[in-house]
Every structure is written in C-alpha cells, then in structure tokens.
Amino acid sequence: MISIQRRSGSSLRWNVVCFSAAILGAFLSSATLLALSGGDAVKAFSALFTGAFGSQNALFGSLAKATPLLLVGLGTVIAFRAKIWNIGQEGQVLAGAMMAYWASLMVGSLPYWLALSVIALAGLSGGGILGLLAGYLKTRFHTNEVISTVMLNYIVIFFLAYLLDGGPWMETGVTVAYHQSPPVNPALEWPELFARGAGKLHIGFLFALAASAFCAILIDRTSLGYDIRAFGSNPTALRFRGTNVRRLLLVVMLLSGALAGLAGAGELFGTSHRLRAETLLGIGSSGIVVAMVGGLRPSGVMLAALFFGALKSGAIYMRLQSGTPAGLVSAMEGLVLLFFLCAAVATKFQIVRSNVHA
Amino acid sequence: MENLLSVQNLTKRFGPVTANDGVNLEVRKGEIHCLFGENGAGKSTLSSCLYGYYRADSGVIRFKGEVAELNSPADALRLGIGMVHQHFVLVSNFTVLENIIVGSAETGLFLTKSDARRKISELCENCGIRIDLDREIWELSVGEQQWVEILKALYFGAELLILDEPTAVLTPQQSDQLFRILDGMRKRGLSIILISHKLREVMQSDRVTILRKGRAIATVETSETTAEAITSLMVGHKVNKHVRDRSVEPTGEVLAVDRACAIGEWGEDILKDVSFNIAHHEILGLAGVAGNGQKELFETLMGVRALSSGGFSLEGELITKPTSREMLDRGIGFVPDDRFLEGLIPEFGTAENLILGWQRAREYCRGPFLDRRKMDALARRKIEEFKVVTASADLPVERLSGGNAQRIILAREFLHSRGLLLANQPTRGLDVAASEFVYEKILEKRASGFAVLLASEELDDLLRLCDRIAVIFKGRIMGIVRPEETTLLELGMMMAGDASDVQRTVQ
C-alpha cells in the first residue's frame, strides 16, 4: 500500500524536486493558457526571457521591477513570521509614496542628500504609520488585522483619488485631467545607479539590498527577531515569559508597513516621477506573493522578487513581440504562487510504500 | 471461567510508530480487567481498536467466541461493547433520561419515554446507581455525569464496558463511589476494562494487563501480586520514590498571599480570599480537583492575570500590579501545567527555549544580537545535566516527548530563578521515571532554600513531598494541613468542598 506521511525532517533533494516541479507546472499551465488564447507559447516565452535577461538593459530593468517587490516582500516576511497577517501592503505602498511626495514639496531648499534622506524617511514613516494604525486597532479593540489592513487600503486609495482629482495635488494647467500629480522636482529624483541608458535602476535598489540584509539579521540574530518568531509560534508562552506582546505587535506592524512605504517612495522618485495610482497599485499584492513564494525567508524573497521582477519586465517585451495579452502575466503570477504553495506543502510530506500484514 | 473477549496478536501502527505490537488480551465474563501502563504504552490505542474507533493492522478480536469485525463504534455497540470516554458526550440541557435514550434505535420517530424509564430505573437499581432521571445534565456533578455515560452504554446493551481513565476528573470519594458501582456491575456478570495509571485503582481490579512500549508484558491476578511488583513490570525496573528530608525545617517567609481575589469573564469569583504563605525550605502542596482555580492562582502570581483585590508580597515586599517581566526579574521560576502552550515555543529548539524570557538578558546577548555561542554552550550543558533526549539543540521541541519538554522547562526555570518556584502539575502526563526525576529536582531546590508551590492531582505524591498541603475548591482555600496529620479521606472531603469538620489552617 502506498500512503502519504508527514516528514520528520526535511530533505534537500526532495525540496529541489518539489520546487522544480512547481516551476515546471507553472510554466506548463501558463503555456496551456497561452495556447488556448491562440498565442504561440514558445515564441512568447522566448520573448519573455529576452525581455527579462536578454541584455544588460533588460537585466537592469528586471532588477528595477524587483526593487519594490523585494521591499514589500521583506515587510511581509516580518509580519507573517510573527503570524500577524498584514495584507495592507497596497495601502502602505501608496501611503509611503504620498508621504514622500508631501515631504518633497517642503525640502527643496535642503542640500540634496539631506533632502533625499528626508524623502526616504517620509516614505518609511508613511507606510509605517498606516501599519501602526492597524496594529493599534488590533491591540486596543481586537480588530482582526486582515480586515483593518484591507479596509485601510480603501481609505488610502480614495484619499489619493481626492488629492489627485480636484484636490491640492492635481496637475493643473493641462486641458485633460490625468488623475496624477505634476512631476516631482527633478532635482529631488533618486539617482540612477548606472549611466544613462542602462535601465532605470535607481538607488532604491541599494536600499532594498540593505533591507534584505537588515531583515535576515533581524529575524535570525537579534532579540527582536527572536520575539517575532516566538510570537508566530506561540504568543501565549511569549506573554507568560515576560514579553510585552502588544508593544511587539505594534513594532512588527510599524516595520512591516515602513518597508512597503519605502517601496512606494522609491517607485515615485526613482521610476515614475509622478504620483499616480496606476503605477503603484499591484505592487503590494505582488509583494505578498513574493514573500510567500520566497518561503518567508529574506534570501528566498530576494530570489522570488528577482523572478517576479523579471516576469513583469519581460512581459512588456513579450507583449510587444508576440502580442500576448497583458493579463496573462497576472495569471502567470497567480499560477506560480499556487504551484509554489503546493510545493511548500509537498516538501513537508513523503510518499511511503508500506507492507500490510494479513 | 469463560472469556468474553479475546484479542490475539493485535498490531496497530501509526506511520513509523508501532502503538500496539502483537498484543494478546483476554477478558473474562464478570471481571474488572485493568489496562495499566505509562503514557504512550498503548492503552488508549488498544481500547480504541476494541471500540472500533481504529482498525487494527493485524490480529484477531473475538467477542463471545466469534471473530468480531469492528469497523466503527456502531459495530462495537451492536455487539455489546460500550465505552465511556474521559470527556463526556452529553447534551447539557437535556435530562438524564433524554441523554440516555437519545440515538437509541428503539425510539423511532416518537420517544416512548415510559418504557425507557422503566428499563433505566431497573438498570440503576441493579448497579446501585442513585440518580434522578429528570434532572438536567448541567445540574449534575462530574461524578454523576459519568454515571449517565455508564447508564447510556448499559442501556444500549453493553456487556463489556471500557472506561478510559475514569477517575481523572473525580475526587477520591467520587472514585470510591464509582468503584462500588463497577463492583455491582461485575456481580451481575458484566465485564469492565479499566484504563488507568493509578495504582490505587489498579489494585481494586480482578486482573491487570501491563502494557509497556506497545506490548502486553504480563497479565496477573491482582490478589496474587503487589503494587510494587506491578510498577516494576510497568517501568521495566525498580523505581525509587523520593520523599522530602524532614530534618530540614522551613524558616522565614518567601511568599505571602493575602486575601487574593480574582474575577472571571462573567463576573464570577475565580479566586476568593486566597491566603497562604510559603517559607524557605518549604514545599506547599496545592490539592484540588482540576478547574478549581489552581491555574488562575498561578497566573496571578506570575503577573499574567490581574487580581481584583488583595495581593501578595515577595520577601516582605508588597507586589502591586505585577507583570510577567517583573516576576521573572524578581527570580520566580514557573512551571506551567500546559507546557507546550505556556512554557515553550514549539517551533524553537532547545537552545532558544532555554532562554525564553531571557532573550534580552545580558548573559545571552551582545547589544541587540543574540549570542549564539553562549546559547549553544548553555544548551549543551543543560541537555547533559537534565538528560534531555534530542537529536540536536536546534530540533524543534514540538518533536520531543512531554517528559523531555518538561526537562527543558525545569532546566530553564532552575537556572534563572532565585528563591521561589511555582510548579503547576509539573508531572502531568509524565511516566513514573520522568515524574521522579522532576520531584528529585524540586526537592533539591527545597534543600537549597527555595520556597515551592506545587500543585498536583496525585495526592500520594503531595503527601510524601510537601511540608504542608493547601486544598482549593471553587477558588477558595478550604484549609491547609500537614501530611502527617491528615488522611486521604480528609483531603478528599476538602477537595469536594465539604470542609465543615476539618477546616483548619496550620502555619
């Protein structure tokens, strides 16, 4: 008889098998989807790959797309490792961008690096404050953070809509309203890392790398990381053993939101240079996917962010080359997540052939 | 004598674990047959196979001489095998009568209560059960609810009744009553399988089958053996039971609790005017049926539950509004009764669990960073000293046995506490050897001057370990007595709330 049993340990070989199967499964099902919609899967995928990694420019473009996903993913890791289900990254990204934009309106006279720091800090605090608010609702009123964070998303989105559509940040002096702000002060744009023409890889990428190291060290090597992991496994024991779990929850929500906020600020000042909902929406939810696919580990999130960044970046080229519908990329993202979640479960089990006694 | 049930070569595996390994068991008609063994010896698995809850991987079960196909509890019931679980399955706002006949095949669409009433009254009389059939379940004591479960099984025609740890929730008096009822049933020719790990009960049975590591080691006539012999069979070797050293006298005062009150979620009294004190070199026992405020008392002393009035002082210093942080910093050691919920982080390894509560202490940190080297060194030391069986210091403790998990908690609490140890059911779920290890360590702390509050449901253990025993009932201390001046009967009465004759408090 063949039965499925829970694994007592983990085996590297089996993990590799599971995740390879997940990648294969995701691509095969995406290819099926492509074929069904009348496209040429081989051509589309080769265009996707070329668009993502085919040149230095393409690679930098992928890294640029990966940057906000990595930041949001890391923030998600901090919250999810504590089993605090912050899923308000969409709103936190927007709040970070809005706070940073607001700051940029006031720091024009400061020296460049100081102004840049203020803007980055404002991004961090915008997302952080929104996270903190959900955390406060949870500690004070036992509001489920899944609900409060999602609801806060809507408040932020509509607030932004007001600001950009008839509000104080609306671009004036044009005949058609685009629901966007005027460009940020060009002197305050975030510097690009490489010479002109080498993709839009801005300094936010370095921030994201630094944040990755920060998170890896925080989670595995510090007392706060110990608290975060312990809270995720057993908050009761942590409370019984002298930790102020309310304060911990607030700290986690603050950090988690702040990283998402920084992603929003980076997109605004490094890439789009205009505050506009369309360029920012979707980063938050993709970031959550990145965190899950990355196994809630900073190193895994780096790989997953690169993968999804490449997917997004290559998709543009794929669309141009093969006329593949843009929606397919979102579908692929979802498929990859599904297959990875299945693989993550599969790694915990093993298939056993057992002899039955008569 | 004729065998009602015979089990041959029964084997049941759960994955790699063999819970029952070629077990043979014979139960005669009209006997109380005890299944005795440590936790994990396979008692519950065996009884679940007999009741049709699990299907044995191999082996033959014969009931009344015929091979029994037990695919579900319904099959077992149809044959005449009934089971009374530790947790009762009763509808609390139904009457006794309704609970018994509910689900019986004979009721059909309309309940014909009068016939059922006659039949049940007869059963009650035969077994010596006195119970009002028209009272609702919530009005009954735990002991009486258990009778209803027994009646239910008998009403369904059980000739073999399996009782799983029936006295775990009873006071000594209620246990005695239960055994009188079981005795009545045996005389009427019914057979009873009693699962227990309490020697006192085992000795009241006709025969005992001792299980060890999934195997049936031996079946002996109770009248021809001794409690010591049975224990040795169960453990596989002789066990030395520790007793306190009476030459060490308690002195001074470490903890003084003064009229502590706590109120529950619905405004009910959880603790009411609880007062006691504990000296250096003293173990104060806390006896009581589970759920009478013991857990809440420990929680208030650990600063995780607020007092509504009253308070306590530590080393003469009044503690107001304590937090768990403050109590840990004051050097209180705490062994919670639910070790995986309140004492450990299941996903953490031994090394990380050993510093739970001290993850910011200077000993284990360098600035904001954990000092892994110091933690690992500590883990190596403590794993050896406390004989923790684990593959590595990083193996998640959720994969360790209850005894090993408890050793980690003890190691941590003994290392970080100074002066006061609070231990709530520290041996719950542990086998004899592991329990004695825990007691040995607690007695060492007493010898070194600690004050210890020790709650346990094992009265025999409290009597040999404690300097004084406080009895708690419905959040009230019914009295504090010395082991040498009390009896099990007296403790039992106090545990049941009847303290009119015995209420006294010794200092």
Side-chain angles (χ1 to χ4, degrees), chain A residues 68-188:
Chain A
L69 301 182
L70 179 52
L71 284 167
V72 173
L74 293 168
T76 310
V77 167
I78 290 179
F80 283 16
R81 283 297 282 272
K83 296 216 171 82
I84 296 168
W85 306 116
N86 171 24
I87 52 170
Q89 283 80 346
E90 288 282 309
Q92 289 150 15
V93 168
L94 288 177
M98 287 156 71
M99 190 74 116
Y101 183 76
W102 185 56
S104 76
L105 300 178
M106 299 190 278
V107 295
S109 56
L110 290 179
Y112 177 69
W113 287 105
L114 190 59
L116 188 134
S117 310
V118 170
I119 290 169
L121 269 177
L124 284 166
S125 49
I129 288 169
L130 200 65
L132 202 57
L133 185 59
Y136 174 75
L137 291 173
K138 186 173 174 71
T139 55
R140 179 71 181 78
F141 303 107
H142 303 289
T143 313
N144 186 325
E145 72 275 19
V146 172
I147 294 169
S148 63
T149 50
V150 169
M151 292 303 154
L152 284 169
N153 282 351
Y154 288 107
I155 294 177
V156 174
I157 288 168
F158 286 120
F159 183 52
L160 179 64
Y162 154 75
L163 289 174
L164 296 181
D165 185 12
W169 289 352
M170 184 173 69
E171 186 168 30
T172 50
V174 286
T175 46
V176 188
Y178 286 109
H179 306 290
Q180 63 182 14
S181 72
V184 296
N185 179 352
L188 293 176

Side-chain angles (χ1 to χ4, degrees), chain B residues 123-143:
Chain B
L123 281 175
C124 286
E125 199 152 315
N126 284 331
C127 302
I129 296 177
R130 271 196 305 225
I131 194 165
D132 181 351
L133 296 182
D134 294 317
R135 282 173 76 192
E136 293 186 0
I137 295 299
W138 58 269
E139 296 176 276
L140 304 180
S141 71
V142 174

Side-chain angles (χ1 to χ4, degrees), chain B residues 148-209:
Chain B
V148 179
E149 285 282 1
I150 293 174
L151 283 172
K152 207 160 77 177
L154 296 180
Y155 181 76
F156 276 78
E159 293 171 61
L160 173 67
L161 196 62
I162 306 170
L163 294 152
D164 187 7
E165 304 258 2
T167 58
V169 289
L170 304 182
T171 64
Q173 278 82 358
Q174 288 173 329
S175 302
D176 287 347
Q177 265 175 320
L178 174 68
F179 272 92
R180 275 199 295 279
I181 290 169
L182 296 183
D183 195 44
M185 289 164 54
R186 147 170 69 180
K187 286 192 179 120
R188 290 186 58 232
L190 295 171
S191 304
I192 292 144
I193 293 180
L194 182 73
I195 300 169
S196 179
H197 64 256
K198 289 187 183 164
L199 272 173
R200 189 185 305 280
E201 292 160 12
V202 173
M203 298 315 289
Q204 298 185 50
S205 64
D206 296 304
R207 293 196 301 163
V208 192
T209 293

Side-chain angles (χ1 to χ4, degrees), chain A residues 19 292-293 336-346:
Chain A
F19 285 107
M292 298 298 292
V293 170
V336 170
L337 174 66
L338 274 179
F339 277 95
F340 267 75
L341 291 181
C342 294
V345 174

Side-chain angles (χ1 to χ4, degrees), chain A residues 23-104:
Chain A
I23 293 174
L24 195 67
F27 271 98
L28 282 180
S29 50
S30 306
T32 313
L33 212 57
L34 253 172
L36 283 176
S37 59
D40 179 346
V42 177
K43 195 176 159 200
F45 280 137
S46 78
L48 182 70
F49 190 82
T50 313
F53 300 111
S55 65
Q56 198 188 39
N57 252 352
L59 179 64
F60 287 160
S62 295
L63 291 177
K65 287 281 184 197
T67 298
L69 301 182
L70 179 52
L71 284 167
V72 173
L74 293 168
T76 310
V77 167
I78 290 179
F80 283 16
R81 283 297 282 272
K83 296 216 171 82
I84 296 168
W85 306 116
N86 171 24
I87 52 170
Q89 283 80 346
E90 288 282 309
Q92 289 150 15
V93 168
L94 288 177
M98 287 156 71
M99 190 74 116
Y101 183 76
W102 185 56
S104 76

